[in-house]
Amino acid sequence: MNNLENLRTRRKAAASLGNAPDGLPWRLSIDRGPSAADMLAPIAASLGYEDAEDYRDTPFDQIAASLNHLFEQRDVKSIDTEDGPADCYITSRPISSIIGPTLLARFTPKPSATVPALAASARRDTRNAATQRNVEGEPAVPVRADIGTGRLAIPLDCSPPLVVNRLETPGAPPSFRFLRRFQPESLAALQSARFDCNIPESGDHLEGAMSDPAAYQKARREVLHSRQYCGLACRADRAEIVQLLADVADQLHHLHEGGRIHGDLKPANILMTAHGVRIIDSLDLAPGMKSPAMTPGWAAPEQIIGDDVQYATDQYAPGLLLCTLIEGVIYGEEVTFIVPVGGNKTEKFVLLRNPGVYLPPELAPVEAAGIGPWQLFLARCLRFPPADRFSTMADLAAELREVSGRSALNGQLEMAPWFGTLEEGTGSLELSWEVQDTWG
């Protein structure tokens, strides 16, 4: 339950985020740090004041009130939503660092390690990703113009959470722009999603469908009380997850029909919700524009080299994602681009010109007869010139459904279902996940 009514003056609170992707309640614990009185206490004590009550109606009282006002200005903002303005607590940390990766990002296999033989050239191995940013050790974050960083916004009237963009302007306080309503994901939306774990003490093997909350909570309690590692995992059919990308292509086609281009498709911008898959956080581009930002590793070549974006730009990232999900190896001729990224700064990107996709017969999650059709489909998504890709996203979606129906994928993808700190309530209270936002 939310207890935000007095968050303007209180330093700690809790807010409901609905249910976590595994169906357990999700709670955000808020700690805004020390109060004005706590911060002033050492100075006040040195001047003979025992506590805040002692310096009421003194200059210290005015200083404390000013500090509290500054705290409120920092933490609480009025956000203009489609339903009107709403006073909200804005989290100190980005939403991704609070709730963790999306389900699709959790299910997506990690890319292979770099090949030592390429170290001499200081270039990354690009055989498993068609575009790479040539900056070692840096995360895949948007470059070029700052498009904002997503934050959770918790309305003080206890209505459902929002997602806002924090925008930085030199010489001015940060501003916040409403993006969308916060929408939790749901593992139960995947028909094939199942959990399983082994309990060392009893030797029991617990398993069941993620759509069975009672069985899942029983397994969770067993794992929580076990003194040994139980290895709880969630698995879903690869074929079902890949089929969701055809639904993503449908949504992109509808976006294109309205004259807009997403421009930043990646696992972090695809939600698996109880009401189906949903794409989020579009760059909202139009054909002929230059991409103001991009995520290295997912951006299309035309975004990286500064050419005009087209509707086919949105085909590149699904091609990369599908290659990862079915463990394809991308290969081809390397080309290097030096790209201006603002001011007098440049960055080096290594791309593959018209890459091919190789599915090792002994490892491919498809029968031998299906390898060729999948390779051709994926290679077309990744063609360097946008005109060489599919004519429309509707064509891509139709071809994906046709190839996956004719050459069905096998196997499962796995993720560890951890969504914060697992807490066990007392009495009738259920298990719940707690995530934290702490000002430090």
PDB file of all heavy atoms in Angstrom, residues 182-219:
ATOM      1  N   PHE A 182       3.400   3.776 -16.370  1.00  0.00           N
ATOM      2  CA  PHE A 182       4.221   2.610 -16.075  1.00  0.00           C
ATOM      3  C   PHE A 182       3.379   1.355 -16.226  1.00  0.00           C
ATOM      4  O   PHE A 182       2.288   1.256 -15.671  1.00  0.00           O
ATOM      5  CB  PHE A 182       4.778   2.699 -14.653  1.00  0.00           C
ATOM      6  CG  PHE A 182       5.530   1.466 -14.221  1.00  0.00           C
ATOM      7  CD1 PHE A 182       6.745   1.151 -14.800  1.00  0.00           C
ATOM      8  CD2 PHE A 182       5.018   0.638 -13.239  1.00  0.00           C
ATOM      9  CE1 PHE A 182       7.437   0.021 -14.411  1.00  0.00           C
ATOM     10  CE2 PHE A 182       5.708  -0.491 -12.836  1.00  0.00           C
ATOM     11  CZ  PHE A 182       6.927  -0.799 -13.416  1.00  0.00           C
ATOM     12  N   GLN A 183       3.850   0.390 -16.993  1.00  0.00           N
ATOM     13  CA  GLN A 183       3.106  -0.836 -17.244  1.00  0.00           C
ATOM     14  C   GLN A 183       3.981  -2.045 -16.925  1.00  0.00           C
ATOM     15  O   GLN A 183       4.945  -2.322 -17.645  1.00  0.00           O
ATOM     16  CB  GLN A 183       2.638  -0.897 -18.699  1.00  0.00           C
ATOM     17  CG  GLN A 183       1.658  -2.034 -18.961  1.00  0.00           C
ATOM     18  CD  GLN A 183       1.004  -1.905 -20.318  1.00  0.00           C
ATOM     19  OE1 GLN A 183       1.258  -0.979 -21.072  1.00  0.00           O
ATOM     20  NE2 GLN A 183       0.136  -2.858 -20.648  1.00  0.00           N
ATOM     21  N   PRO A 184       3.689  -2.770 -15.837  1.00  0.00           N
ATOM     22  CA  PRO A 184       4.498  -3.938 -15.493  1.00  0.00           C
ATOM     23  C   PRO A 184       4.385  -5.025 -16.559  1.00  0.00           C
ATOM     24  O   PRO A 184       3.393  -5.116 -17.288  1.00  0.00           O
ATOM     25  CB  PRO A 184       3.902  -4.409 -14.160  1.00  0.00           C
ATOM     26  CG  PRO A 184       3.150  -3.240 -13.629  1.00  0.00           C
ATOM     27  CD  PRO A 184       2.646  -2.504 -14.834  1.00  0.00           C
ATOM     28  N   GLU A 185       5.416  -5.844 -16.632  1.00  0.00           N
ATOM     29  CA  GLU A 185       5.398  -6.977 -17.542  1.00  0.00           C
ATOM     30  C   GLU A 185       4.825  -8.207 -16.844  1.00  0.00           C
ATOM     31  O   GLU A 185       4.615  -8.215 -15.629  1.00  0.00           O
ATOM     32  CB  GLU A 185       6.811  -7.256 -18.058  1.00  0.00           C
ATOM     33  CG  GLU A 185       7.385  -6.112 -18.880  1.00  0.00           C
ATOM     34  CD  GLU A 185       8.693  -6.484 -19.529  1.00  0.00           C
ATOM     35  OE1 GLU A 185       9.738  -6.336 -18.859  1.00  0.00           O
ATOM     36  OE2 GLU A 185       8.682  -6.948 -20.686  1.00  0.00           O
ATOM     37  N   SER A 186       4.606  -9.268 -17.621  1.00  0.00           N
ATOM     38  CA  SER A 186       3.986 -10.465 -17.061  1.00  0.00           C
ATOM     39  C   SER A 186       4.537 -11.717 -17.734  1.00  0.00           C
ATOM     40  O   SER A 186       4.366 -11.907 -18.939  1.00  0.00           O
ATOM     41  CB  SER A 186       2.469 -10.417 -17.234  1.00  0.00           C
ATOM     42  OG  SER A 186       1.874 -11.642 -16.839  1.00  0.00           O
ATOM     43  N   LEU A 187       5.184 -12.556 -16.945  1.00  0.00           N
ATOM     44  CA  LEU A 187       5.647 -13.850 -17.461  1.00  0.00           C
ATOM     45  C   LEU A 187       4.480 -14.758 -17.795  1.00  0.00           C
ATOM     46  O   LEU A 187       4.564 -15.595 -18.707  1.00  0.00           O
ATOM     47  CB  LEU A 187       6.560 -14.524 -16.436  1.00  0.00           C
ATOM     48  CG  LEU A 187       8.000 -14.021 -16.388  1.00  0.00           C
ATOM     49  CD1 LEU A 187       8.691 -14.487 -15.115  1.00  0.00           C
ATOM     50  CD2 LEU A 187       8.766 -14.489 -17.608  1.00  0.00           C
ATOM     51  N   ALA A 188       3.384 -14.597 -17.078  1.00  0.00           N
ATOM     52  CA  ALA A 188       2.213 -15.449 -17.322  1.00  0.00           C
ATOM     53  C   ALA A 188       1.624 -15.205 -18.708  1.00  0.00           C
ATOM     54  O   ALA A 188       0.866 -16.029 -19.214  1.00  0.00           O
ATOM     55  CB  ALA A 188       1.148 -15.203 -16.250  1.00  0.00           C
ATOM     56  N   ALA A 189       1.986 -14.056 -19.336  1.00  0.00           N
ATOM     57  CA  ALA A 189       1.493 -13.790 -20.684  1.00  0.00           C
ATOM     58  C   ALA A 189       2.115 -14.730 -21.707  1.00  0.00           C
ATOM     59  O   ALA A 189       1.579 -14.892 -22.810  1.00  0.00           O
ATOM     60  CB  ALA A 189       1.800 -12.341 -21.064  1.00  0.00           C
ATOM     61  N   LEU A 190       3.248 -15.350 -21.355  1.00  0.00           N
ATOM     62  CA  LEU A 190       3.870 -16.358 -22.227  1.00  0.00           C
ATOM     63  C   LEU A 190       3.261 -17.715 -21.902  1.00  0.00           C
ATOM     64  O   LEU A 190       3.429 -18.237 -20.795  1.00  0.00           O
ATOM     65  CB  LEU A 190       5.384 -16.394 -22.006  1.00  0.00           C
ATOM     66  CG  LEU A 190       6.159 -15.139 -22.408  1.00  0.00           C
ATOM     67  CD1 LEU A 190       7.597 -15.224 -21.901  1.00  0.00           C
ATOM     68  CD2 LEU A 190       6.149 -14.984 -23.924  1.00  0.00           C
ATOM     69  N   GLN A 191       2.540 -18.289 -22.839  1.00  0.00           N
ATOM     70  CA  GLN A 191       1.855 -19.552 -22.582  1.00  0.00           C
ATOM     71  C   GLN A 191       2.820 -20.668 -22.204  1.00  0.00           C
ATOM     72  O   GLN A 191       2.482 -21.575 -21.447  1.00  0.00           O
ATOM     73  CB  GLN A 191       1.036 -19.964 -23.808  1.00  0.00           C
ATOM     74  CG  GLN A 191      -0.095 -19.007 -24.134  1.00  0.00           C
ATOM     75  CD  GLN A 191      -0.912 -19.465 -25.331  1.00  0.00           C
ATOM     76  OE1 GLN A 191      -0.683 -20.534 -25.892  1.00  0.00           O
ATOM     77  NE2 GLN A 191      -1.866 -18.645 -25.742  1.00  0.00           N
ATOM     78  N   SER A 192       4.037 -20.609 -22.729  1.00  0.00           N
ATOM     79  CA  SER A 192       4.997 -21.684 -22.479  1.00  0.00           C
ATOM     80  C   SER A 192       5.853 -21.442 -21.244  1.00  0.00           C
ATOM     81  O   SER A 192       6.672 -22.301 -20.883  1.00  0.00           O
ATOM     82  CB  SER A 192       5.916 -21.850 -23.696  1.00  0.00           C
ATOM     83  OG  SER A 192       6.666 -20.661 -23.935  1.00  0.00           O
ATOM     84  N   ALA A 193       5.710 -20.292 -20.595  1.00  0.00           N
ATOM     85  CA  ALA A 193       6.589 -19.951 -19.468  1.00  0.00           C
ATOM     86  C   ALA A 193       6.357 -20.891 -18.290  1.00  0.00           C
ATOM     87  O   ALA A 193       5.228 -21.036 -17.810  1.00  0.00           O
ATOM     88  CB  ALA A 193       6.370 -18.502 -19.045  1.00  0.00           C
ATOM     89  N   ARG A 194       7.433 -21.498 -17.822  1.00  0.00           N
ATOM     90  CA  ARG A 194       7.380 -22.415 -16.691  1.00  0.00           C
ATOM     91  C   ARG A 194       8.564 -22.148 -15.770  1.00  0.00           C
ATOM     92  O   ARG A 194       9.580 -21.604 -16.180  1.00  0.00           O
ATOM     93  CB  ARG A 194       7.425 -23.877 -17.153  1.00  0.00           C
ATOM     94  CG  ARG A 194       6.243 -24.281 -18.024  1.00  0.00           C
ATOM     95  CD  ARG A 194       6.315 -25.764 -18.399  1.00  0.00           C
ATOM     96  NE  ARG A 194       6.233 -26.639 -17.232  1.00  0.00           N
ATOM     97  CZ  ARG A 194       5.096 -26.996 -16.650  1.00  0.00           C
ATOM     98  NH1 ARG A 194       3.933 -26.540 -17.120  1.00  0.00           N
ATOM     99  NH2 ARG A 194       5.094 -27.797 -15.607  1.00  0.00           N
ATOM    100  N   PHE A 195       8.403 -22.524 -14.510  1.00  0.00           N
ATOM    101  CA  PHE A 195       9.488 -22.416 -13.542  1.00  0.00           C
ATOM    102  C   PHE A 195       9.889 -23.808 -13.100  1.00  0.00           C
ATOM    103  O   PHE A 195       9.091 -24.763 -13.185  1.00  0.00           O
ATOM    104  CB  PHE A 195       9.059 -21.585 -12.326  1.00  0.00           C
ATOM    105  CG  PHE A 195       8.002 -22.268 -11.481  1.00  0.00           C
ATOM    106  CD1 PHE A 195       8.346 -23.142 -10.460  1.00  0.00           C
ATOM    107  CD2 PHE A 195       6.653 -22.042 -11.723  1.00  0.00           C
ATOM    108  CE1 PHE A 195       7.366 -23.783  -9.691  1.00  0.00           C
ATOM    109  CE2 PHE A 195       5.660 -22.666 -10.968  1.00  0.00           C
ATOM    110  CZ  PHE A 195       6.023 -23.544  -9.947  1.00  0.00           C
ATOM    111  N   ASP A 196      11.102 -23.948 -12.646  1.00  0.00           N
ATOM    112  CA  ASP A 196      11.516 -25.208 -12.023  1.00  0.00           C
ATOM    113  C   ASP A 196      12.709 -24.952 -11.121  1.00  0.00           C
ATOM    114  O   ASP A 196      13.477 -24.010 -11.322  1.00  0.00           O
ATOM    115  CB  ASP A 196      11.841 -26.277 -13.074  1.00  0.00           C
ATOM    116  CG  ASP A 196      13.078 -25.951 -13.875  1.00  0.00           C
ATOM    117  OD1 ASP A 196      14.193 -26.136 -13.355  1.00  0.00           O
ATOM    118  OD2 ASP A 196      12.937 -25.514 -15.028  1.00  0.00           O
ATOM    119  N   CYS A 197      12.828 -25.784 -10.092  1.00  0.00           N
ATOM    120  CA  CYS A 197      13.962 -25.687  -9.175  1.00  0.00           C
ATOM    121  C   CYS A 197      14.108 -26.999  -8.421  1.00  0.00           C
ATOM    122  O   CYS A 197      13.159 -27.783  -8.287  1.00  0.00           O
ATOM    123  CB  CYS A 197      13.782 -24.530  -8.190  1.00  0.00           C
ATOM    124  SG  CYS A 197      12.354 -24.694  -7.103  1.00  0.00           S
ATOM    125  N   ASN A 198      15.300 -27.232  -7.938  1.00  0.00           N
ATOM    126  CA  ASN A 198      15.588 -28.397  -7.108  1.00  0.00           C
ATOM    127  C   ASN A 198      15.822 -27.932  -5.675  1.00  0.00           C
ATOM    128  O   ASN A 198      16.553 -26.953  -5.448  1.00  0.00           O
ATOM    129  CB  ASN A 198      16.826 -29.139  -7.621  1.00  0.00           C
ATOM    130  CG  ASN A 198      16.603 -29.740  -8.994  1.00  0.00           C
ATOM    131  OD1 ASN A 198      15.655 -30.478  -9.212  1.00  0.00           O
ATOM    132  ND2 ASN A 198      17.478 -29.414  -9.932  1.00  0.00           N
ATOM    133  N   ILE A 199      15.218 -28.616  -4.712  1.00  0.00           N
ATOM    134  CA  ILE A 199      15.380 -28.294  -3.298  1.00  0.00           C
ATOM    135  C   ILE A 199      16.353 -29.306  -2.694  1.00  0.00           C
ATOM    136  O   ILE A 199      15.998 -30.483  -2.507  1.00  0.00           O
ATOM    137  CB  ILE A 199      14.039 -28.330  -2.546  1.00  0.00           C
ATOM    138  CG1 ILE A 199      12.989 -27.487  -3.281  1.00  0.00           C
ATOM    139  CG2 ILE A 199      14.214 -27.856  -1.110  1.00  0.00           C
ATOM    140  CD1 ILE A 199      13.341 -26.024  -3.392  1.00  0.00           C
ATOM    141  N   PRO A 200      17.608 -28.910  -2.416  1.00  0.00           N
ATOM    142  CA  PRO A 200      18.613 -29.884  -1.967  1.00  0.00           C
ATOM    143  C   PRO A 200      18.222 -30.631  -0.689  1.00  0.00           C
ATOM    144  O   PRO A 200      18.465 -31.835  -0.587  1.00  0.00           O
ATOM    145  CB  PRO A 200      19.860 -29.015  -1.744  1.00  0.00           C
ATOM    146  CG  PRO A 200      19.646 -27.817  -2.610  1.00  0.00           C
ATOM    147  CD  PRO A 200      18.172 -27.571  -2.583  1.00  0.00           C
ATOM    148  N   GLU A 201      17.629 -29.925   0.295  1.00  0.00           N
ATOM    149  CA  GLU A 201      17.343 -30.590   1.581  1.00  0.00           C
ATOM    150  C   GLU A 201      16.364 -31.750   1.423  1.00  0.00           C
ATOM    151  O   GLU A 201      16.530 -32.806   2.029  1.00  0.00           O
ATOM    152  CB  GLU A 201      16.768 -29.576   2.582  1.00  0.00           C
ATOM    153  CG  GLU A 201      17.782 -28.574   3.112  1.00  0.00           C
ATOM    154  CD  GLU A 201      17.823 -27.309   2.277  1.00  0.00           C
ATOM    155  OE1 GLU A 201      17.392 -27.333   1.117  1.00  0.00           O
ATOM    156  OE2 GLU A 201      18.313 -26.301   2.803  1.00  0.00           O
ATOM    157  N   SER A 202      15.329 -31.556   0.630  1.00  0.00           N
ATOM    158  CA  SER A 202      14.293 -32.589   0.489  1.00  0.00           C
ATOM    159  C   SER A 202      14.474 -33.454  -0.743  1.00  0.00           C
ATOM    160  O   SER A 202      13.886 -34.532  -0.847  1.00  0.00           O
ATOM    161  CB  SER A 202      12.910 -31.929   0.427  1.00  0.00           C
ATOM    162  OG  SER A 202      12.802 -31.111  -0.733  1.00  0.00           O
ATOM    163  N   GLY A 203      15.265 -32.948  -1.696  1.00  0.00           N
ATOM    164  CA  GLY A 203      15.404 -33.673  -2.950  1.00  0.00           C
ATOM    165  C   GLY A 203      14.239 -33.458  -3.893  1.00  0.00           C
ATOM    166  O   GLY A 203      14.167 -34.090  -4.952  1.00  0.00           O
ATOM    167  N   ASP A 204      13.313 -32.566  -3.516  1.00  0.00           N
ATOM    168  CA  ASP A 204      12.149 -32.308  -4.363  1.00  0.00           C
ATOM    169  C   ASP A 204      12.536 -31.506  -5.601  1.00  0.00           C
ATOM    170  O   ASP A 204      13.425 -30.654  -5.554  1.00  0.00           O
ATOM    171  CB  ASP A 204      11.085 -31.534  -3.581  1.00  0.00           C
ATOM    172  CG  ASP A 204      10.446 -32.366  -2.478  1.00  0.00           C
ATOM    173  OD1 ASP A 204      10.556 -33.606  -2.553  1.00  0.00           O
ATOM    174  OD2 ASP A 204       9.857 -31.765  -1.552  1.00  0.00           O
ATOM    175  N   HIS A 205      11.833 -31.784  -6.688  1.00  0.00           N
ATOM    176  CA  HIS A 205      11.939 -30.977  -7.902  1.00  0.00           C
ATOM    177  C   HIS A 205      10.585 -30.306  -8.095  1.00  0.00           C
ATOM    178  O   HIS A 205       9.576 -30.977  -8.337  1.00  0.00           O
ATOM    179  CB  HIS A 205      12.295 -31.831  -9.116  1.00  0.00           C
ATOM    180  CG  HIS A 205      12.377 -31.041 -10.391  1.00  0.00           C
ATOM    181  ND1 HIS A 205      13.463 -30.243 -10.695  1.00  0.00           N
ATOM    182  CD2 HIS A 205      11.514 -30.899 -11.423  1.00  0.00           C
ATOM    183  CE1 HIS A 205      13.261 -29.657 -11.863  1.00  0.00           C
ATOM    184  NE2 HIS A 205      12.086 -30.043 -12.324  1.00  0.00           N
ATOM    185  N   LEU A 206      10.571 -28.980  -7.968  1.00  0.00           N
ATOM    186  CA  LEU A 206       9.326 -28.235  -8.076  1.00  0.00           C
ATOM    187  C   LEU A 206       9.261 -27.573  -9.433  1.00  0.00           C
ATOM    188  O   LEU A 206      10.228 -26.958  -9.889  1.00  0.00           O
ATOM    189  CB  LEU A 206       9.253 -27.179  -6.972  1.00  0.00           C
ATOM    190  CG  LEU A 206       9.384 -27.683  -5.528  1.00  0.00           C
ATOM    191  CD1 LEU A 206       9.328 -26.521  -4.550  1.00  0.00           C
ATOM    192  CD2 LEU A 206       8.309 -28.709  -5.225  1.00  0.00           C
ATOM    193  N   GLU A 207       8.133 -27.703 -10.092  1.00  0.00           N
ATOM    194  CA  GLU A 207       7.964 -27.082 -11.396  1.00  0.00           C
ATOM    195  C   GLU A 207       6.486 -26.781 -11.622  1.00  0.00           C
ATOM    196  O   GLU A 207       5.611 -27.335 -10.955  1.00  0.00           O
ATOM    197  CB  GLU A 207       8.486 -27.991 -12.511  1.00  0.00           C
ATOM    198  CG  GLU A 207       7.786 -29.338 -12.590  1.00  0.00           C
ATOM    199  CD  GLU A 207       8.326 -30.164 -13.742  1.00  0.00           C
ATOM    200  OE1 GLU A 207       8.757 -29.567 -14.739  1.00  0.00           O
ATOM    201  OE2 GLU A 207       8.304 -31.405 -13.640  1.00  0.00           O
ATOM    202  N   GLY A 208       6.238 -25.902 -12.567  1.00  0.00           N
ATOM    203  CA  GLY A 208       4.865 -25.560 -12.888  1.00  0.00           C
ATOM    204  C   GLY A 208       4.812 -24.398 -13.861  1.00  0.00           C
ATOM    205  O   GLY A 208       5.838 -23.820 -14.236  1.00  0.00           O
ATOM    206  N   ALA A 209       3.598 -24.078 -14.257  1.00  0.00           N
ATOM    207  CA  ALA A 209       3.403 -22.970 -15.186  1.00  0.00           C
ATOM    208  C   ALA A 209       3.437 -21.642 -14.438  1.00  0.00           C
ATOM    209  O   ALA A 209       2.961 -21.551 -13.299  1.00  0.00           O
ATOM    210  CB  ALA A 209       2.071 -23.127 -15.910  1.00  0.00           C
ATOM    211  N   MET A 210       3.990 -20.606 -15.078  1.00  0.00           N
ATOM    212  CA  MET A 210       3.998 -19.292 -14.449  1.00  0.00           C
ATOM    213  C   MET A 210       2.585 -18.735 -14.313  1.00  0.00           C
ATOM    214  O   MET A 210       2.361 -17.793 -13.562  1.00  0.00           O
ATOM    215  CB  MET A 210       4.857 -18.327 -15.263  1.00  0.00           C
ATOM    216  CG  MET A 210       6.348 -18.592 -15.204  1.00  0.00           C
ATOM    217  SD  MET A 210       7.044 -18.565 -13.523  1.00  0.00           S
ATOM    218  CE  MET A 210       6.605 -16.935 -12.949  1.00  0.00           C
ATOM    219  N   SER A 211       1.629 -19.321 -15.002  1.00  0.00           N
ATOM    220  CA  SER A 211       0.235 -18.900 -14.877  1.00  0.00           C
ATOM    221  C   SER A 211      -0.445 -19.515 -13.660  1.00  0.00           C
ATOM    222  O   SER A 211      -1.623 -19.256 -13.416  1.00  0.00           O
ATOM    223  CB  SER A 211      -0.539 -19.274 -16.145  1.00  0.00           C
ATOM    224  OG  SER A 211      -0.450 -20.672 -16.396  1.00  0.00           O
ATOM    225  N   ASP A 212       0.284 -20.335 -12.875  1.00  0.00           N
ATOM    226  CA  ASP A 212      -0.246 -20.965 -11.664  1.00  0.00           C
ATOM    227  C   ASP A 212       0.384 -20.283 -10.456  1.00  0.00           C
ATOM    228  O   ASP A 212       1.431 -20.719  -9.957  1.00  0.00           O
ATOM    229  CB  ASP A 212       0.076 -22.465 -11.656  1.00  0.00           C
ATOM    230  CG  ASP A 212      -0.551 -23.201 -10.480  1.00  0.00           C
ATOM    231  OD1 ASP A 212      -1.006 -22.527  -9.533  1.00  0.00           O
ATOM    232  OD2 ASP A 212      -0.569 -24.436 -10.500  1.00  0.00           O
ATOM    233  N   PRO A 213      -0.208 -19.191  -9.953  1.00  0.00           N
ATOM    234  CA  PRO A 213       0.439 -18.419  -8.877  1.00  0.00           C
ATOM    235  C   PRO A 213       0.613 -19.205  -7.586  1.00  0.00           C
ATOM    236  O   PRO A 213       1.601 -19.011  -6.873  1.00  0.00           O
ATOM    237  CB  PRO A 213      -0.489 -17.219  -8.693  1.00  0.00           C
ATOM    238  CG  PRO A 213      -1.812 -17.635  -9.257  1.00  0.00           C
ATOM    239  CD  PRO A 213      -1.485 -18.588 -10.369  1.00  0.00           C
ATOM    240  N   ALA A 214      -0.311 -20.084  -7.264  1.00  0.00           N
ATOM    241  CA  ALA A 214      -0.198 -20.835  -6.015  1.00  0.00           C
ATOM    242  C   ALA A 214       1.022 -21.749  -6.044  1.00  0.00           C
ATOM    243  O   ALA A 214       1.794 -21.818  -5.076  1.00  0.00           O
ATOM    244  CB  ALA A 214      -1.471 -21.647  -5.777  1.00  0.00           C
ATOM    245  N   ALA A 215       1.206 -22.481  -7.149  1.00  0.00           N
ATOM    246  CA  ALA A 215       2.360 -23.374  -7.263  1.00  0.00           C
ATOM    247  C   ALA A 215       3.662 -22.578  -7.259  1.00  0.00           C
ATOM    248  O   ALA A 215       4.660 -22.992  -6.653  1.00  0.00           O
ATOM    249  CB  ALA A 215       2.246 -24.210  -8.536  1.00  0.00           C
ATOM    250  N   TYR A 216       3.652 -21.438  -7.921  1.00  0.00           N
ATOM    251  CA  TYR A 216       4.871 -20.627  -7.983  1.00  0.00           C
ATOM    252  C   TYR A 216       5.224 -20.081  -6.599  1.00  0.00           C
ATOM    253  O   TYR A 216       6.389 -20.111  -6.193  1.00  0.00           O
ATOM    254  CB  TYR A 216       4.685 -19.485  -8.980  1.00  0.00           C
ATOM    255  CG  TYR A 216       5.877 -18.556  -9.052  1.00  0.00           C
ATOM    256  CD1 TYR A 216       7.073 -18.976  -9.626  1.00  0.00           C
ATOM    257  CD2 TYR A 216       5.811 -17.266  -8.520  1.00  0.00           C
ATOM    258  CE1 TYR A 216       8.176 -18.130  -9.676  1.00  0.00           C
ATOM    259  CE2 TYR A 216       6.901 -16.416  -8.572  1.00  0.00           C
ATOM    260  CZ  TYR A 216       8.077 -16.852  -9.153  1.00  0.00           C
ATOM    261  OH  TYR A 216       9.167 -16.017  -9.193  1.00  0.00           O
ATOM    262  N   GLN A 217       4.225 -19.595  -5.852  1.00  0.00           N
ATOM    263  CA  GLN A 217       4.511 -19.068  -4.524  1.00  0.00           C
ATOM    264  C   GLN A 217       5.010 -20.167  -3.598  1.00  0.00           C
ATOM    265  O   GLN A 217       5.898 -19.937  -2.768  1.00  0.00           O
ATOM    266  CB  GLN A 217       3.267 -18.400  -3.945  1.00  0.00           C
ATOM    267  CG  GLN A 217       2.937 -17.067  -4.606  1.00  0.00           C
ATOM    268  CD  GLN A 217       1.956 -16.243  -3.787  1.00  0.00           C
ATOM    269  OE1 GLN A 217       1.936 -16.321  -2.558  1.00  0.00           O
ATOM    270  NE2 GLN A 217       1.149 -15.447  -4.465  1.00  0.00           N
ATOM    271  N   LYS A 218       4.477 -21.370  -3.736  1.00  0.00           N
ATOM    272  CA  LYS A 218       4.958 -22.493  -2.919  1.00  0.00           C
ATOM    273  C   LYS A 218       6.436 -22.756  -3.207  1.00  0.00           C
ATOM    274  O   LYS A 218       7.242 -22.933  -2.285  1.00  0.00           O
ATOM    275  CB  LYS A 218       4.130 -23.750  -3.209  1.00  0.00           C
ATOM    276  CG  LYS A 218       4.578 -24.980  -2.422  1.00  0.00           C
ATOM    277  CD  LYS A 218       3.699 -26.180  -2.738  1.00  0.00           C
ATOM    278  CE  LYS A 218       4.097 -27.401  -1.904  1.00  0.00           C
ATOM    279  NZ  LYS A 218       5.479 -27.851  -2.170  1.00  0.00           N
ATOM    280  N   ALA A 219       6.792 -22.762  -4.488  1.00  0.00           N
ATOM    281  CA  ALA A 219       8.193 -22.980  -4.844  1.00  0.00           C
ATOM    282  C   ALA A 219       9.066 -21.849  -4.328  1.00  0.00           C
ATOM    283  O   ALA A 219      10.180 -22.077  -3.830  1.00  0.00           O
ATOM    284  CB  ALA A 219       8.324 -23.108  -6.361  1.00  0.00           C
TER     285      ALA A 219
END
